[in-house]
Amino acid sequence: MEGLPTTTTTKADRRWRSKPLQTSKPSLLLAFLSCVAWLYIAGRLWQDAENRTVLANLLKKNSEQRPKVLTVEDKLMVLGCKDLERRIVEVEMELTLAKSQGYLKNQLQQSGSLSEQKLLAVIGVYTGFGGRLTRNTFRGSWMPKGDALKKLEERGVVIRFVIGRSANRGDSLDRNIDEENRATKDFLFLEGHEEAQEELPKKAKYFFITAFQNWDAEFYVKVDDNIDVDLEGLIGLLEKRRGQDGAYIGCMKSGEVVSEEGRPWYEPDWWKFGDEKSYFRHAAGSLIILSKNLVQYISVNSASLKTYAHDDISVGSWMMGVQATHIDDNRLCCSSIRQDKVCSVA
């Protein structure tokens, strides 16, 4: 029939129309997994942000409630002690400098006249709480007392009984010694030393330090409590040595190091003295003389100086490390039979 349009479809067009549009399954799966991953990551990021916000709020709240921790400097500022702290540091520095120069700025002085002259010697005689009878014997024999003691000091020689303090400070032992000293005025108290047998090795250190702080002398002499002294002979010996620095004078000896605990003179540090178990040469403890510069060394370095079981060994060990001149004088061997000795066993 003419006049009507005729539509002609090809075989290929019919095939295209008969099949719907399709997407491959792998692509759909990949898209789905991508969406899931994105949602998971977004959720975690949101969760982390929430957690950080909560933690920040908790920290801020706790910091506001927690009391402020003051440093030491803050406390000093609050208490108004900053200036005091500075002054303490300055005083400690001055004290260290004074010790290194061989004197203390505020020395204890037994007598105003003594501060203006350099003495020949300070002689310290060991004693104990139970030694009153011995002390009275010494005062009636070789050791001056009363006005004679003062006249001896005018000659440049100071003699004192040396004693520490009781383990129970202020007890009857201390009070009795204080009372005796008020009558005789011939004691040197070692305030930092406890007067006990087991503390005896430290007594020499305390004696030399205390004597050095109290008197300026050429020599410092330690004497045991069982020794009689020819005082004029000792003074003459020291006069000839006047001006000699580094003098370590005494009856030099050595001897066996006792390593068996329980035996007399046991040395706990015996192993330090070698396989021969023999002490180094040192002045016998009965009478030891040190020149001023050696005592100054002990005073300045006292905190680092070791004491052994015996005080004479301790002093000898200190002298091993300095430029000390060991002077062996047989006149100071108190147990010898020499006629010109200056000391003897009481």
Side-chain angles (χ1 to χ4, degrees):
M1 186 180 289
E2 296 180 359
L4 294 175
T6 302
T7 302
T8 306
T9 58
T10 65
K11 187 176 182 180
D13 292 335
R14 290 194 299 270
R15 188 183 301 114
W16 181 83
R17 290 177 181 177
S18 63
K19 292 183 179 180
L21 184 64
Q22 296 181 353
T23 304
S24 63
K25 291 181 179 181
S27 298
L28 291 173
L29 181 61
L30 182 61
F32 175 75
L33 292 176
S34 298
C35 291
V36 172
W38 182 86
L39 290 173
Y40 174 77
I41 293 172
R44 289 300 303 269
L45 291 174
W46 178 83
Q47 186 70 34
D48 289 345
E50 287 293 319
N51 291 339
R52 284 195 295 271
T53 302
V54 172
L55 290 175
N57 292 334
L58 289 174
L59 288 174
K60 183 178 180 181
K61 184 177 180 181
N62 290 338
S63 63
E64 292 174 353
Q65 294 177 353
R66 185 175 55 193
K68 182 181 179 182
V69 178
L70 296 178
T71 64
V72 174
E73 292 202 356
D74 292 335
K75 293 178 180 178
L76 289 174
M77 291 291 291
V78 172
L79 297 174
C81 296
K82 197 69 176 177
D83 184 60
L84 179 60
E85 180 193 25
R86 178 183 58 80
R87 290 170 58 191
I88 291 174
V89 173
E90 291 176 353
V91 170
E92 288 178 346
M93 293 176 64
E94 289 181 1
L95 180 61
T96 302
L97 177 62
K99 283 187 174 182
S100 68
Q101 294 175 346
Y103 66 92
L104 293 180
K105 192 171 184 179
N106 295 318
Q107 290 185 358
L108 300 175
Q109 297 175 354
Q110 298 287 328
S111 170
S113 62
L114 295 181
S115 63
E116 301 173 359
Q117 63 175 326
K118 187 169 186 177
L119 302 171
L120 173 64
V122 175
I123 303 173
V125 183
Y126 275 21
T127 190
F129 293 117
R132 184 158 191 166
L133 181 60
T134 302
R135 292 192 292 272
N136 287 335
T137 301
F138 286 172
R139 293 184 184 113
S141 57
W142 65 269
M143 182 174 172
K145 59 181 179 179
D147 293 338
L149 188 64
K150 293 181 180 179
K151 290 181 180 179
L152 182 65
E153 293 176 6
E154 294 173 359
R155 292 178 55 189
V157 178
V158 171
I159 304 179
R160 293 290 186 272
F161 287 112
V162 181
I163 192 168
R165 287 300 188 178
S166 171
N168 302 312
R169 295 297 179 93
D171 62 6
S172 60
L173 296 176
D174 279 345
R175 292 196 300 271
N176 291 339
I177 290 294
D178 288 337
E179 183 180 354
E180 183 179 348
N181 182 56
R182 281 192 289 271
T184 60
K185 295 181 175 57
D186 57 5
F187 280 90
L188 174 62
F189 292 104
L190 309 180
E191 297 294 344
H193 175 66
E194 179 182 323
E195 192 65 38
Q197 184 63 34
E198 61 272 15
E199 297 295 324
L200 187 59
K202 300 178 182 178
K203 190 170 183 176
K205 181 191 293 189
Y206 281 101
F207 161 62
F208 287 122
I209 293 172
T210 307
F212 179 74
Q213 292 177 354
N214 278 270
W215 297 283
D216 181 16
E218 293 268 357
F219 299 99
Y220 298 83
V221 185
K222 174 257 178 179
V223 180
D224 270 352
D225 58 356
N226 62 339
I227 298 300
D228 284 327
V229 177
D230 175 4
L231 189 56
E232 291 301 324
L234 179 61
I235 292 174
L237 184 153
L238 296 175
E239 285 283 2
K240 294 179 181 179
R241 298 282 182 183
R242 187 187 283 272
Q244 183 173 356
D245 288 338
Y248 172 38
I249 312 172
C251 178
M252 295 295 167
K253 65 171 187 174
S254 185
E256 176 191 3
V257 179
V258 178
S259 59
E260 293 79 22
E261 188 172 359
R263 283 184 54 191
W265 311 110
Y266 167 65
E267 174 60 72
D269 290 315
W270 58 266
W271 58 276
K272 293 183 179 180
F273 296 93
D275 296 334
E276 299 299 324
K277 295 183 181 178
S278 177
Y279 286 119
F280 42 75
R281 299 286 287 178
H282 61 277
S286 301
L287 199 155
I288 301 174
I289 303 172
L290 297 180
S291 61
K292 177 184 175 180
N293 63 325
L294 296 181
V295 176
Q296 174 184 341
Y297 168 80
I298 294 173
S299 179
V300 173
N301 300 280
S302 60
S304 59
L305 295 178
K306 174 179 173 52
T307 54
Y308 289 93
H310 317 296
D311 58 352
D312 55 353
I313 298 298
S314 300
V315 176
S317 69
W318 306 335
M319 297 301 102
M320 293 286 285
V322 295
Q323 293 292 335
T325 302
H326 289 57
I327 301 173
D328 183 14
D329 195 323
N330 291 333
R331 290 173 295 175
L332 301 175
C333 296
C334 304
S335 58
S336 72
I337 59 174
R338 286 185 54 145
Q339 296 297 318
D340 59 346
K341 63 182 179 179
V342 299
C343 61
S344 61
V345 179

